[in-house]
Amino acid sequence: MPLDFIALALAVIHFGTPLTYYFYLKNKYLSKPWNINADENYKPKVTIIIPTYNEAKLIEKKLNNIYKQKYPRDKLEVIVVDSASTDGTPKLIKKWADKHSELNLKLIVESERKGKAHALNHALEYATGEIVIITDVDSLWPSETITKTLKWFADPTVGAVSCLKKPVGSKVKEVEESYRQYYNILRIAESKAYATPIFHGELAAFRRNLLKKLGGFPIDIGADDSHTATKIALIRYRAIIPENLWVEELVPNKGYSRWRIRRAQHLIQHFAKCLRELRQAPKGFRKILAIETFLHLANPYLLLVSTILLIASTLTTHSLTALGILALGVALLIVKQYRTWIIQQLYLIVASLRNIWTKEIAWSKQVK
Ligand code: GDD
Ligand code: MN
């Protein structure tokens, strides 16, 4: 009996915490105003940094997409930083740049691959824009995206802005989408409350002077974008994901689980690094950071321990209560949202274990 009780308590905490957090944030903040003076006429100089590693298949499409952005060209600087690609990516970039000389594009070629964040820091040395936007090659932006991003920076309290992601081109799209629905609401509600500690490499914009102040992007963890946004929130600037700032992201056709696990590894590294900072977080941000840290680092293990205890109780004491809860947990897998949640918990558990032997700072590419 006490085993069943502990197992049940753990399960209640496991499911109750994110549900309570979600409904609390949604009800309290989602329909609130931003409290930010955004201005679409604010058009500062901007530097777009595109990191590339073996992107021959997609790089031209990406450059064309940036080229079509509706933003004054004299205020736009593009820096592509390649880390020793072996598929001829730099050559394709040079060829494209020759054909589009009216765009201010600089190519940096690193002779050794030391990871995305290292490459970003390299590019930062050459950046001159007031705002720096980082973007992955496998993402595409609608043509108003720069304007829709920069308008938020018209307000000096905003330090960083990221996007919402529309997954495209995959067989497993459905899983991605159902997971994204509540995920996006959380990002927006956290942003309205103060800041979100989760950013996206498909579009992550930062004030360059703040990046300088922070010493660039962290190279010891994978989630350079999320961690930098969080650091910016910790020094009391808003780091936000607004509604309606959508970009497309290509989801891998093959190796989907590995991809999700690697990303989970990066997020876990980020939140583990945040643990030390929690105490000095500004008031509005402390709760957000504490709960997200708990949800990424500890909460998945509550589910695991609860399941193990229920199985143990069923086997040793033949507890019908334990068997009943287990059966319910399995039966609920027919509900999509629940199934998605459980899969995400498994990803987080596997990811935290994988982090013990590899940090995936220089990761292998998934086919898209
Ligand atoms: N220069 C350079 N050097 N670029 C790299 C390297 C590297 O070592 N490794 C990857 N890149 C580039 C890729 O070419 C791509 O443009 C971008 O970095 C992201 O790589 P993906 O392979 O597409 O990563 P992902 O989609 O799994 O993860 C991305 O999204 C995450 C969540 O939004 C990354 O941006 C993560 O940093 C981010 O946390
Ligand atoms: Mn990607």
Side-chain angles (χ1 to χ4, degrees), residues 23 34 39 93-94 120 138 141 149 166 181-182 184 189 194 205 208 234 237 277 280 282 326 330 355 357 359:
F23 285 110
W34 279 96
D39 178 5
I93 297 165
K94 271 185 216 138
L120 295 179
D138 57 5
W141 298 353
T149 304
K166 199 183 284 167
Q181 278 167 14
Y182 76 86
N184 286 341
Y194 188 89
R208 189 163 61 88
L234 286 170
Y237 288 87
E277 323 267 1
Q280 71 216 53
L326 272 177
V330 174
N355 265 340
W357 70 89
K359 281 171 116 186

Side-chain angles (χ1 to χ4, degrees), residues 226-326:
S226 295
H227 200 66
T228 303
T230 302
K231 285 271 192 185
I232 284 176
L234 286 170
I235 54 173
R236 295 177 155 69
Y237 288 87
R238 305 279 298 269
I240 61 165
I241 292 187
E243 64 267 73
N244 302 328
L245 189 55
W246 287 94
V247 311
E248 285 185 357
E249 177 198 21
L250 272 180
V251 172
N253 298 319
K254 268 193 228 146
Y256 177 81
S257 294
R258 265 209 71 184
W259 178 65
R260 287 286 300 274
I261 289 167
R262 162 165 49 81
R263 286 190 170 195
Q265 278 186 259
H266 288 171
L267 275 182
I268 289 168
Q269 293 160 14
H270 153 52
F271 283 113
K273 210 173 160 159
C274 287
L275 277 173
R276 273 165 276 169
E277 323 267 1
L278 263 174
R279 275 188 28 222
Q280 71 216 53
K283 209 169 147 263
F285 188 50
R286 196 177 303 150
K287 260 188 239 149
I288 294 173
L289 191 56
I291 291 176
E292 289 292 358
T293 303
F294 170 80
L295 290 179
H296 285 84
L297 301 185
N299 203 40
Y301 281 94
L302 301 190
L303 180 68
L304 182 69
V305 174
S306 172
T307 311
I308 291 171
L309 291 182
L310 288 172
I311 294 172
S313 173
T314 309
L315 294 180
T316 57
T317 66
H318 306 288
S319 157
L320 283 182
T321 322
L323 187 62
I325 301 172
L326 272 177

